[in-house]
Amino acid sequence: MMDTRMVIDEEEEKKEIIRRYRKLLRHAKPFLKDNDAKEIKKAFYISVEAHKDMRRKSGEPYIYHPLEVADICVNEIGLGTTSIISALLHDVVEDTDWELNDIKREFGPKIMRIIDGLTKISGVPGESVSEQAENFRKMLLTLSSDTRVILIKLADRLHNMRTLESMPRHKQLKIASETFYLYAPLAHRLGLYAIKTELEDLSMKYREADEYRAIADKIEESKDDRNKFIRNFVRPIQKSINDQGYAVEVKGRTKSIYSIAQKMKKQDIPYEEVYDLFAIRIIIDTDVDKEKAACWHVYSIVTDFYQPNPDRLRDWVSIPKANGYESLHTTVMTKKGQWVEVQIRTRRMDDIAEKGYAAHWKYKDGSAKENESALDTWINRVRESLEQNDISAIEFVDDFRSNLFMEEVYAFTPMGKLITLPNGSTALDFAFDVHSEVGANCIGAKINHKLVPINTKLKNGDQVEILTSSKQKPKEDWLRFVVSSKAKSGIKDFLKEEKKKAAKEGKEIVIRKLKQIKLTLNNDTINRLIAYFGAKSPLDFFFEVGTGKINPKDIKKISEIKKEAPKKSKRSFESADEVKKTIKKVHATGTADMLLIGEDMDVVDYKFANCCKPIPGDDVFGFVTVSEGIKIHRTSCPNATELMSNYGYRIIKAKWTSQQEIAFLAGIRVIGTDRIGMVNDITSIISTDLKVNMRSLTIDTDHGIFEGNISVYVDDTSHLNTMLEKLKKVDGIESVSRFDLYDK
């Protein structure tokens, strides 16, 4: 394979580079002003020169990548000249001799700051808790000054995902998981629907390849039938809409592969039973001041022809989503008894739905304060939470991520002001949103004039009045039920201040007690005290003294403590070394840096993860733990995305080899209509026909419908699949699926 890659036609490559550069300029041409083309040209030639000796894993010249990232910025996100230049140069500081000062000299401080936000922190994996999380935090901190950093990073990630084919398997898994865990939710929150959908689909393509291929093939097979159905559905309403004087574009859009897969899993149904496989989108060309009326008028025309489902009406025209998304969604029944989702929106709304943040600014008149959208509000909230950067990177990423994919709940103040909060928010979240002081002093609330405790969850349309008391103070357990980052950071800030006050009092007590035994407070004495009392840090020690957890009288015992500094803070380095040693051991086995499950047990210690119970034939990876050797996880494990997103350097490739006679435990879920002899039919297939041992069988029946959970010992996935296929043929069984068994 390498030989074919070594044959390089340099002339053809140069022509291709120029072709891609010209395509970029064509897409950028509509908004170029004054000196823009000249600056873009300068950035292009600097990037070509800086990357001239570099190639991507596919063998292509590296310059293809910055060119394509710049094109995505323009063509798919709608960004301008500053972003094009930044995208062209986004890797030069990280990968070449160029430094940030060189960028500043050539292009000014604004572009230098963007490049800095896009440049990874260099360090040795393992010595920080998570280099991946630190880099994500660094990039997000620039959100407070320039959102373009995030948008260019999304374009960079999208192109990397589109070209992931040439990467080794373990890198594919790491990058795809990180994309799914962080970048797809971020695209969703910034309103970049098309990019979010593609990132989710591409992540699934590498993380769950078999399921992805199966759904993609079925979508392709049903393409002609679907197009015919859409034509028949649209024909009657199109004429009526045109007769009412509206210029519209009507198109059918298949749901993404990932969202179909999610629906199949959630509802435990096959592809054929997913009723809303595609949506009809009606895009209206109309003036901004007539948009709302036009959307509702078209809705009334659609529902004249097709019966709507009243529970499936979604009005994001009156109250847009927090990411700026505006549209009217309804689900209607066709004459042949099929449900179809219909989305009604204007051209401006469609542009914002596809291009999100950048399109939102294009349509916005910045002079009017009331024009501030829900997206601006969300970005302001993020800026507030980013200021709380004294927490660990992992905690920061988890906090940030928890605010990304949440839907909203809408509530009102007593004066009728609309407050938008993350779904699951409580009265206390509402109080902190009003003001941090109101939150800190909150003792209860009145929801719709009824007195309720502060942990009461809000529902859409609730009117909330907050009750306060100057005697109330935030408590640690408040953190268990608040969900908004504003409430969390407000409570944490208060608790830190209280801790500092108590620690200050504790420090004064310690100084007095040491004075009595003629000692001073210095590094040596504090280290000896920490070691003796088992505190985590000086602050924790002083806090425990200040709150009475440590008896001040016991401090005098320091005179009995041997004068030696505690062997503290070494653990993190030890654990990092253990991880590195284990990874080196795997690499030393000489099998292409891969753990062979079934053969390497004598070289490297590994265990099968309890969270997903892998069996031979499953797609798996190894995760190097700090103290338990290597854990083998399925790539579809519920914990896989988080492990790969935060600790990618600990992931190692793993594959099954000739397996010894070991039986693996797997779970089978069976659902169907109950009848006499059903249990006997199921058990005879498992025990008699296939000679498989069962560990447990539980069956629940409810008015003629039964659900059974069976745990069985199997050799591998093909053995398990044979069993699933045989069970599906049993009379009365509707569905058979594998489920994850968790150790209790």
Side-chain angles (χ1 to χ4, degrees):
M1 187 165 174
M2 283 309 295
D3 294 342
T4 57
R5 287 210 181 145
M6 296 309 288
V7 181
I8 295 164
D9 186 339
E10 288 190 14
E11 279 310 306
E12 190 49 47
E13 280 186 351
K14 279 177 188 169
K15 284 179 192 168
E16 180 59 23
I17 291 167
I18 296 300
R19 272 197 293 272
R20 292 184 187 216
Y21 172 60
R22 283 183 182 148
K23 178 183 76 169
L24 170 65
L25 285 182
R26 268 198 318 277
H27 289 150
K29 195 178 179 183
F31 57 76
L32 292 184
K33 299 190 293 286
D34 310 332
N35 237 6
D36 287 358
K38 196 176 164 189
E39 288 293 291
I40 291 169
K41 188 177 183 181
K42 181 166 78 167
F44 167 63
Y45 280 112
I46 286 170
S47 189
V48 168
E49 181 58 28
H51 294 301
K52 69 172 189 267
D53 298 323
M54 293 171 66
R55 291 194 170 265
R56 302 194 82 210
K57 278 271 189 272
S58 60
E60 293 177 338
Y62 195 87
I63 187 64
Y64 286 4
H65 173 63
L67 275 168
E68 290 303 316
V69 172
D71 194 59
I72 291 168
C73 285
V74 181
N75 204 34
E76 299 181 49
I77 302 178
L79 294 169
T81 302
T82 302
S83 302
I84 293 173
I85 293 168
S86 303
L88 287 170
L89 301 170
H90 78 273
D91 277 334
V92 296
V93 171
E94 196 175 306
D95 296 341
T96 75
D97 295 336
W98 273 68
E99 292 181 6
L100 285 169
N101 282 334
D102 301 324
I103 302 285
K104 187 179 180 181
R105 186 186 65 245
E106 294 291 337
F107 298 97
K110 190 199 294 176
I111 285 171
M112 180 203 77
R113 278 196 300 273
I114 293 174
I115 302 289
D116 185 29
L118 291 161
T119 302
K120 291 194 191 86
I121 299 163
S122 57
V124 183
E127 289 185 5
S128 66
V129 177
S130 167
E131 196 183 323
Q132 276 165 288
E134 291 289 0
N135 279 314
F136 195 73
R137 166 150 77 177
K138 182 195 175 197
M139 180 192 72
L140 281 174
L141 288 171
T142 58
L143 186 64
S144 53
S145 58
D146 201 323
T147 317
R148 283 174 293 202
V149 174
I150 313 290
L151 298 172
I152 296 164
K153 184 65 193 174
L154 283 168
D156 176 39
R157 182 51 61 121
L158 179 59
H159 186 248
N160 282 334
M161 288 301 293
R162 285 173 178 171
T163 54
L164 202 56
E165 199 75 50
S166 50
M167 295 295 272
R169 176 74 180 135
H170 68 297
K171 283 270 180 73
Q172 287 177 342
L173 280 174
K174 183 189 93 70
I175 294 165
S177 295
E178 192 181 49
T179 299
F180 178 77
Y181 188 69
L182 292 169
Y183 291 98
L186 190 52
H188 166 85
R189 208 20 146 213
L190 288 168
L192 295 157
Y193 180 80
I195 287 177
K196 167 243 183 187
T197 304
E198 191 176 347
L199 287 176
E200 282 176 343
D201 275 7
L202 287 169
S203 297
M204 186 185 171
K205 182 180 175 183
Y206 293 99
R207 290 169 60 243
E208 299 173 75
D210 292 344
E211 291 93 322
Y212 177 88
R213 264 197 306 273
I215 295 171
D217 289 346
K218 282 179 177 169
I219 288 173
E220 189 55 38
E221 281 166 25
S222 58
K223 191 177 174 182
D224 293 340
D225 290 342
R226 200 166 55 248
N227 289 339
K228 186 180 170 188
F229 176 88
I230 290 165
R231 281 196 303 275
N232 291 338
F233 181 91
V234 168
R235 198 176 293 122
I237 56 173
Q238 178 94 49
K239 184 179 183 309
S240 192
I241 291 168
N242 292 345
D243 289 347
Q244 294 290 335
Y246 291 108
V248 297
E249 181 191 352
V250 185
K251 51 189 181 185
R253 181 189 60 80
T254 310
K255 273 201 173 355
S256 72
I257 293 173
Y258 171 74
S259 65
I260 293 170
Q262 284 303 98
K263 201 151 266 195
M264 287 164 64
K265 276 180 195 163
K266 205 171 171 183
Q267 297 174 8
D268 197 14
I269 52 172
Y271 174 87
E272 290 69 24
E273 287 175 33
V274 178
Y275 74 79
D276 50 352
L277 278 169
F278 54 90
I280 306 286
R281 185 175 296 165
I282 301 171
I283 302 161
I284 313 162
D285 288 307
T286 188
D287 298 335
V288 175
D289 57 342
K290 295 175 186 164
E291 285 187 325
K292 199 170 172 184
C295 288
W296 283 108
H297 194 182
V298 169
Y299 168 79
S300 72
I301 294 168
V302 172
T303 54
D304 283 345
F305 287 88
Y306 301 109
Q307 188 70 38
N309 181 340
D311 295 331
R312 301 280 298 165
L313 177 63
R314 301 285 179 268
D315 175 12
W316 290 301
V317 172
S318 304
I319 304 172
K321 284 189 180 184
N323 60 13
Y325 181 86
E326 294 173 69
S327 194
L328 201 55
H329 289 199
T330 182
T331 303
V332 299
M333 176 72 80
T334 67
K335 304 286 188 280
K336 291 184 178 175
Q338 226 172 329
W339 288 112
V340 180
E341 186 184 295
V342 181
Q343 302 170 352
I344 301 162
R345 59 176 76 155
T346 64
R347 185 69 59 188
R348 178 192 66 84
M349 294 172 187
D350 192 54
D351 213 0
I352 286 172
E354 293 301 314
K355 296 215 171 121
Y357 192 82
H360 153 75
W361 283 104
K362 177 173 123 185
Y363 288 103
K364 183 179 163 165
D365 169 17
S367 59
K369 177 70 184 152
E370 60 271 16
N371 231 346
E372 186 166 289
S373 76
L375 187 57
D376 298 309
T377 312
W378 178 76
I379 283 176
N380 289 334
R381 273 207 193 121
V382 170
R383 284 176 181 153
E384 285 169 15
S385 69
L386 290 175
E387 283 158 18
Q388 319 296 321
N389 60 356
D390 55 344
I391 55 176
S392 76
I394 298 279
E395 194 183 345
F396 173 92
V397 169
D398 285 347
D399 252 14
F400 179 78
R401 191 178 174 275
S402 70
N403 278 303
L404 283 176
F405 249 155
M406 280 187 172
E407 290 302 317
E408 291 77 40
V409 63
Y410 304 102
F412 296 90
T413 66
M415 301 303 290
K417 186 190 171 192
L418 177 69
I419 301 254
T420 308
L421 290 162
N423 200 15
S425 287
T426 60
L428 188 58
D429 287 290
F430 187 97
F432 272 98
D433 197 86
V434 172
H435 195 278
S436 53
E437 286 294 315
V438 175
N441 297 328
C442 178
I443 53 166
K446 283 184 179 176
I447 295 181
N448 306 325
H449 310 292
K450 185 184 170 190
L451 190 65
V452 296
I454 58 174
N455 63 349
T456 306
K457 285 191 178 180
L458 303 178
K459 295 193 289 294
N460 276 329
D462 279 348
Q463 193 166 28
V464 186
E465 182 188 345
I466 299 298
L467 308 175
T468 59
S469 163
S470 56
K471 293 188 177 72
Q472 177 71 296
K473 286 180 180 178
K475 300 172 182 65
E476 187 105 28
D477 71 327
W478 283 12
L479 289 167
R480 286 206 293 272
F481 58 80
V482 293
V483 297
S484 64
S485 55
K486 195 168 181 182
K488 282 179 185 171
S489 61
I491 296 163
K492 282 176 187 172
D493 283 351
F494 181 86
L495 293 173
K496 275 177 202 154
E497 279 308 307
E498 289 294 290
K499 190 171 182 176
K500 279 178 191 168
K501 278 183 204 166
K504 192 179 175 187
E505 289 169 20
K507 191 174 183 179
E508 287 165 7
I509 293 168
V510 171
I511 290 167
R512 281 202 307 274
K513 291 292 173 189
L514 288 174
K515 207 172 182 181
Q516 290 168 12
I517 54 170
K518 298 186 171 52
L519 281 175
T520 56
L521 186 67
N522 56 29
N523 280 344
D524 175 51
T525 50
I526 191 66
N527 284 338
R528 285 157 68 195
L529 284 163
I530 286 171
Y532 182 75
F533 289 103
K536 289 179 188 170
S537 66
L539 181 70
D540 284 334
F541 171 66
F542 294 136
F543 173 71
E544 286 175 11
V545 173
T547 52
K549 196 174 173 186
I550 290 175
N551 190 333
K553 289 177 184 173
D554 292 341
I555 291 167
K556 292 183 179 180
K557 292 179 183 174
I558 191 172
S559 53
E560 303 159 22
I561 305 166
K562 287 181 183 175
K563 196 172 179 181
E564 59 176 56
K567 291 170 186 171
K568 203 178 169 297
S569 79
K570 212 178 163 192
R571 180 73 207 140
S572 60
F573 293 108
E574 285 172 4
S575 61
D577 286 342
E578 284 168 32
V579 168
K580 283 180 200 164
K581 274 181 204 163
T582 310
I583 292 171
K584 270 183 189 167
K585 264 191 200 174
V586 174
H587 289 187
T589 58
T591 324
D593 297 347
M594 188 180 289
L595 176 69
L596 297 175
I597 304 165
E599 290 184 10
D600 289 342
M601 196 74 180
D602 53 337
V603 183
V604 187
D605 184 26
Y606 62 84
K607 298 183 181 78
F608 298 108
N610 283 329
C611 49
C612 56
K613 296 274 191 217
I615 65 174
D618 282 338
D619 201 1
V620 289
F621 67 93
F623 179 74
V624 183
T625 64
V626 170
S627 55
E628 295 183 89
I630 296 168
K631 287 272 181 84
I632 307 297
H633 291 262
R634 278 158 56 190
T635 54
S636 58
C637 169
N639 298 320
T641 41
E642 197 168 345
L643 294 176
M644 292 186 198
S645 300
N646 288 327
Y647 305 102
Y649 67 94
R650 295 199 201 172
I651 304 298
I652 52 171
K653 289 182 282 187
K655 74 170 187 180
W656 303 93
T657 58
S658 53
Q659 196 60 41
Q660 295 89 31
E661 292 299 310
I662 301 174
F664 289 81
L665 199 59
I668 298 175
R669 180 165 291 127
V670 185
I671 298 168
T673 49
D674 201 8
R675 60 173 171 78
I676 293 167
M678 176 62 86
V679 175
N680 185 48
D681 287 354
I682 291 170
T683 52
S684 67
I685 281 177
I686 295 170
S687 304
T688 314
D689 290 11
L690 295 169
K691 308 279 190 293
V692 170
N693 285 328
M694 278 192 289
R695 188 172 88 167
S696 67
L697 166 67
T698 58
I699 289 191
D700 288 326
T701 305
D702 183 16
H703 294 88
I705 304 296
F706 82 91
E707 183 174 318
N709 289 336
I710 313 160
S711 56
V712 292
Y713 289 99
V714 294
D715 301 332
D716 52 31
T717 46
S718 64
H719 190 193
L720 178 65
N721 290 336
T722 304
M723 198 182 311
L724 297 182
E725 289 307 314
K726 285 211 168 198
L727 287 171
K728 278 177 190 172
K729 290 172 185 166
V730 172
D731 184 33
I733 286 183
E734 290 294 318
S735 75
V736 183
S737 56
R738 176 182 176 181
F739 72 94
D740 292 333
L741 287 165
Y742 299 96
D743 271 9
K744 298 284 184 281

